[in-house]
Amino acid sequence: MKPAGRKGLSFSFDLIPIGLEYIASYIKEAVDQVNIVDLELDNRKFQDIINVYSPDLVGITLSATEHNQSLRLAKTAKQNNLPVVVGGYHPTSVPDLMLSHPQIDAVIRGEGEVAMKELVETGAFENVLGLSYKKNGKIIHNQTRKPIENIDALPFPARYLRQYPYKSQDRVTDCDVITMYRGCNGMCSFCCEPSMSYGCIRTRSPENVMKELLEMSEYHKRKPVNVMFADPHFMGNPKQVDRLCDLMMKHNLNMEFCALVRADSMAAHPQIVKKMCQVGIRRFEMGIESPNAKDLKSTKKGITNKVHGKAVENIRQNGGRAGGTFVIGLPDQTEEEIRMFPVYAKEIGLTGAAFGVATPFPGTDFYKELDAQGLIFETDWDNFDEMHSVYTAKYLSKEKIEEMATYCMAKFWNIDTFLDHEIVSQTHTKQKKAILDFSQERIINLGFMTNNGNTLQKDNFEKHITTFLEAYIDPRVEAYTRKVGVHEVLEMKKFLRLLGTQTIQCTLKLDDTITSFIFKTNKTNVEYIRVIKGRQDDSTITLEVDLKWLSEPANSHILQRLALVFSDNLTAKKLWNTFRLFIAVGTEAAAWSLQKLVSRK
Ligand code: B12
């Protein structure tokens, strides 16, 4: 079982329970039947699922944020007299806590394949290494199991058991996940990996990974797939990556890859970065964490910020997406320092960034330090999602830290960043992006941010919208768009011809907070885009959205809302301009749909 509940990054694509697929594949011969149920995508009730499969054993995979939901599932299993075993990073670190609940019978600590096989073969908890269980009311921890040495010997994850179409952010393209390694030799203070593999890194042979990629491609019927290398340190063994790229070079996989990498490896191996981009490993997520040496030291990141710029440069030169993650709300960070994070992200040239709230997960050094000082105040595991502040920091309140996460996200994800990303991508696509493709992607981004904000900051969502609107006001946008010329990046020739010379003002407001985007166009160019506080008077088309409805979505009908957006264009001149805008958008949309239809056929 994988519990339901999207958090953070999983709003952008479906999470595939690859750990369960590895286990299912490994125990397949030892059992009559094994099924994987993913409650995020399954609409059935757990009781109905139990009725359908009549299992003898229920296994649940979970992270901290799924703690509560897992206990609820386990309760239902217990009501059906089924034994329940749990595994994953969270249970591995808190076996006693898990077993303190009557509905949990056993915890498998660390890697699950061999332990689970022994359990289903023997039907007893006693001699299974790595397993914790209860006997006569006492918790017993069997000895720790050594990490699997030869991971090439593991059968590939049981993709054939998938019951759901796992999709990427566009909800159309298939997504998948694969691992090249087990473990990581980094010792970052906030990461759970050391408690899973004790810093013991094991590599699959590139040949074995290639074989799985080919099998994966067949599984997806050779359709396009977005694939994530789920290793925490993909470049852990650069030679192996280099060899894998050579193998991938011989096949047309129709796949786009994303990899989690360390900046030092990306800075040190420009040739391998080039090769990766050539074979489609083009999206990178680097743990940048912070521009400040003191944060990099306290998190035991083992990286200095000197390498950040070089790593980004290597990626950008090859048309890759340089994504970076930052950690905000570390114990002694100040507001001024955090406000500089998105500025730093732009300065070093990142084309993607995420700003997670520092979260102490059990099993990490970070947790041990804060727990010893009694600083962790949050008791609801749902909030250990890197979006909520869960411990007392020196200078910043919980509310301030969470507000800063929103601030950083808005400050970074402005129009200049999206355009910059396009410019870098065009190094390999060699063509301008259609304006409607670009707009569609922005709508998807907006959905991601709204989902995150609405679900995670339910009570003070409005405060976060206000922070967002304020952070968006940035003179950098005008300077950047004047310099690069939006029309040079996006295909919009026909659109501009029909629209003509306009000053379009799009205003977003929530109560007294008002932010306007001004688009200055002529028949061939977008002269600039400007983001300002309040409104400016000289617009030729005015669009206004009251964001109140985001926090109260049921408020009004969609047509009513649309009418309100255009309600400030009632003079003859403005009506004519608005009509031109409709014609330009309509013509563009018709050509775009036709092209999509043809390319699909
Ligand atoms: C890849 C990855 C992701 C990918 C997932 C891609 C996918 N699967 O589709 C993405 C980027 C989407 C992601 C998202 C998030 N992630 Co993440 N992610 C990882 C990472 C790097 C690797 C996980 C992995 O795939 N391992 C490989 C597989 C094969 O191993 P596995 O799943 O652990 O399974 C093995 C064992 O755990 C065990 N096992 C697992 N389940 C079970 C069940 C049973 C019954 C048994 C017996 C055994 C068992 O056996 C398996 C086989 O050996 C880890 C670890 C790290 N170093 O950073 C973090 C990690 C899991 N993520 C973490 C977090 C916090 C998140 C986010 C909340 C981040 C965010 N703010 O958005 C979201 C969570 C989204 C959600 N739950 O809704 C934390 C979890 C901490 C915790 N203790 O709960 C980790 C540990 C990172 C950290 N901070 O240390 N993540």
Side-chain angles (χ1 to χ4, degrees):
M1 303 293 308
K2 175 173 163 277
R6 286 183 195 268
K7 294 283 182 182
L9 292 167
S10 71
F11 280 113
S12 48
F13 54 88
D14 295 329
L15 241 78
I16 301 175
I18 186 174
L20 289 182
E21 292 186 347
Y22 260 115
I23 295 172
S25 194
Y26 198 81
I27 67 169
K28 189 177 74 181
E29 311 294 339
V31 294
D32 293 333
Q33 208 187 102
V34 52
N35 295 290
I36 298 176
V37 175
D38 183 343
L39 285 177
E40 181 55 44
L41 298 176
D42 205 310
N43 294 324
R44 293 172 292 179
K45 288 213 177 79
F46 186 32
Q47 183 57 54
D48 296 338
I49 292 167
I50 292 177
N51 296 344
V52 171
Y53 296 123
S54 305
D56 299 309
L57 176 69
V58 172
I60 306 174
T61 185
L62 66 136
S63 286
T65 51
E66 286 136 352
H67 180 103
N68 297 334
Q69 161 80 344
S70 298
L71 289 179
R72 287 192 287 272
L73 293 176
K75 211 168 186 176
T76 308
K78 263 282 107 39
Q79 283 157 2
N80 289 265
N81 291 321
L82 293 170
V84 176
V85 50
V86 294
Y89 288 89
H90 181 64
T92 294
S93 303
V94 289
D96 293 79
L97 174 65
M98 298 307 310
L99 289 167
S100 70
H101 296 275
Q103 64 267 45
I104 307 289
D105 297 295
V107 174
I108 287 179
R109 308 175 326 260
E111 290 170 332
E113 288 89 346
V114 186
M116 194 66 163
K117 187 163 180 202
E118 286 176 13
L119 176 62
V120 295
E121 276 173 349
T122 60
F125 296 146
E126 275 74 13
N127 297 316
V128 179
L129 294 182
L131 188 141
S132 302
Y133 66 104
K134 284 175 280 199
K135 193 172 183 183
N136 305 326
K138 231 180 107 209
I139 293 176
I140 302 188
H141 300 292
N142 292 347
Q143 267 184 15
T144 300
R145 179 180 292 277
K146 282 205 186 106
I148 300 166
E149 263 170 44
N150 179 7
I151 51 170
D152 267 358
L154 289 174
F156 297 156
R159 293 192 173 79
Y160 51 85
L161 287 179
R162 281 185 200 164
Q163 312 188 39
Y164 325 91
Y166 287 100
K167 295 291 177 193
S168 312
Q169 191 165 22
D170 63 8
R171 312 304 315 152
V172 178
T173 315
D174 284 3
C175 70
D176 214 319
V177 57
I178 186 167
T179 61
M180 173 106 170
Y181 307 91
R182 286 278 168 101
C184 177
N185 48 13
M187 282 288 156
C188 307
S189 67
F190 50 81
C191 182
C192 298
E193 191 56 46
S195 68
M196 175 67 67
S197 56
Y198 325 105
C200 166
I201 190 161
R202 292 136 298 146
T203 317
R204 286 173 71 182
S205 68
E207 286 70 16
N208 187 256
V209 177
M210 189 66 230
K211 200 167 158 210
E212 185 178 339
L213 284 175
L214 290 170
E215 204 179 284
M216 187 195 279
S217 167
E218 288 306 319
Y219 171 81
H220 292 279
K221 304 195 171 65
R222 303 189 148 271
K223 282 187 299 183
V225 196
N226 288 324
V227 182
M228 167 169 266
F229 278 104
D231 310 285
H233 180 17
F234 180 64
M235 283 279 274
N237 186 336
K239 269 196 192 144
Q240 298 285 93
V241 174
D242 191 40
R243 169 88 187 122
L244 177 66
C245 290
D246 287 341
L247 296 173
M248 287 169 76
M249 211 77 86
K250 297 181 189 144
H251 301 273
N252 180 8
L253 289 168
N254 208 4
M255 292 172 175
E256 275 259 333
F257 297 88
C258 168
L260 316 174
V261 288
R262 278 174 65 97
D264 45 4
S265 320
M266 299 302 277
H269 300 284
Q271 283 310 320
I272 303 181
V273 177
K274 186 174 178 185
K275 262 194 194 174
M276 286 198 278
C277 289
Q278 278 167 353
V279 297
I281 310 174
R282 240 177 247 132
R283 294 171 69 91
F284 300 97
E285 290 299 340
M286 288 178 283
I288 299 289
E289 318 309 351
S290 163
N292 301 322
K294 68 164 174 131
D295 294 340
L296 294 170
K297 191 161 172 238
S298 77
T299 53
K300 304 195 186 97
K301 187 73 196 171
I303 284 185
T304 59
N305 56 3
K306 285 203 189 84
V307 300
H308 291 159
K310 182 70 190 142
V312 174
E313 189 189 319
N314 288 345
I315 298 171
R316 287 179 68 106
Q317 267 172 4
N318 294 290
R321 177 193 188 271
T325 49
F326 289 77
V327 59
I328 67 170
L330 285 170
D332 59 356
Q333 276 174 351
T334 63
E335 181 175 342
E336 290 66 39
E337 285 169 4
I338 299 174
R339 280 183 184 269
M340 290 312 288
F341 284 19
V343 177
Y344 180 72
K346 286 189 191 214
E347 264 168 24
I348 60 173
L350 290 177
T351 48
F355 303 87
V357 174
T359 304
F361 289 108
T364 61
D365 290 347
F366 190 34
Y367 184 91
K368 281 176 209 145
E369 277 164 31
L370 294 169
D371 193 38
Q373 300 169 64
L375 292 174
I376 302 173
F377 56 74
E378 182 59 82
T379 49
D380 184 350
W381 290 109
D382 280 359
N383 289 335
F384 281 68
D385 56 3
E386 300 179 344
M387 297 291 287
H388 290 93
S389 162
V390 299
Y391 69 90
T392 310
K394 256 191 219 157
Y395 306 118
L396 299 172
S397 68
K398 170 182 166 65
E399 290 71 27
K400 194 65 188 176
I401 291 173
E402 292 170 5
E403 189 192 320
M404 281 293 102
T406 301
Y407 171 85
C408 289
M409 184 154 91
K411 198 73 193 158
F412 180 81
W413 289 106
N414 211 326
I415 295 176
D416 53 335
T417 299
F418 291 122
L419 291 171
D420 187 38
H421 172 64
E422 278 318 314
I423 292 175
V424 175
S425 310
Q426 284 166 23
T427 318
H428 69 89
T429 60
K430 307 274 183 236
Q431 58 180 10
K432 289 186 192 177
K433 178 162 274 174
I435 183 175
L436 283 188
D437 278 326
F438 183 79
S439 312
Q440 192 189 33
E441 286 169 11
R442 298 303 69 84
I443 291 168
I444 292 172
N445 295 142
L446 197 68
F448 170 69
M449 292 195 240
T450 316
N451 269 329
N452 251 327
N454 218 344
T455 321
L456 302 170
Q457 296 294 349
K458 294 174 204 89
D459 302 334
N460 47 359
F461 188 43
E462 289 202 359
K463 172 81 195 80
H464 283 259
I465 298 180
T466 309
T467 306
F468 205 91
L469 290 181
E470 285 167 355
Y472 247 72
I473 301 159
D474 196 336
R476 228 180 303 248
V477 176
E478 181 170 347
Y480 184 86
T481 49
R482 276 189 191 274
K483 192 173 91 194
V484 303
V486 180
H487 51 283
E488 301 288 355
V489 186
L490 304 179
E491 186 47 68
M492 55 197 312
K493 236 188 249 155
K494 216 182 309 141
F495 180 81
L496 287 175
R497 219 176 27 241
L498 291 168
L499 182 66
T501 301
Q502 303 286 358
T503 306
I504 305 172
Q505 172 161 252
C506 298
T507 301
L508 301 177
K509 69 176 278 244
L510 183 72
D511 301 327
D512 294 337
T513 311
I514 301 169
T515 299
S516 297
F517 296 77
I518 318 290
F519 300 83
K520 181 84 183 90
T521 67
N522 62 40
K523 282 197 159 204
T524 50
N525 292 359
V526 178
E527 291 172 25
Y528 60 82
I529 301 175
R530 174 184 291 160
V531 194
I532 55 163
K533 186 180 164 104
R535 302 179 179 86
Q536 82 179 39
D537 303 331
D538 61 349
S539 62
T540 55
I541 301 173
T542 312
L543 313 171
E544 184 136 341
V545 181
D546 189 336
L547 294 178
K548 205 80 187 164
W549 63 265
L550 272 182
S551 52
E552 298 157 17
N555 244 1
S556 61
H557 190 269
I558 183 94
L559 284 179
Q560 244 172 306
R561 272 189 217 149
L562 214 63
L564 276 175
V565 171
F566 287 96
S567 61
D568 284 330
N569 297 292
L570 297 177
T571 63
K573 186 89 184 126
K574 278 198 162 181
L575 272 175
W576 168 241
N577 287 332
T578 310
F579 176 70
R580 288 185 75 165
L581 175 66
F582 273 123
I583 294 294
V585 173
T587 311
E588 199 68 33
W592 183 73
S593 311
L594 197 71
Q595 201 206 339
K596 292 260 164 245
L597 208 72
V598 172
S599 65
R600 215 168 289 154
K601 278 196 173 160

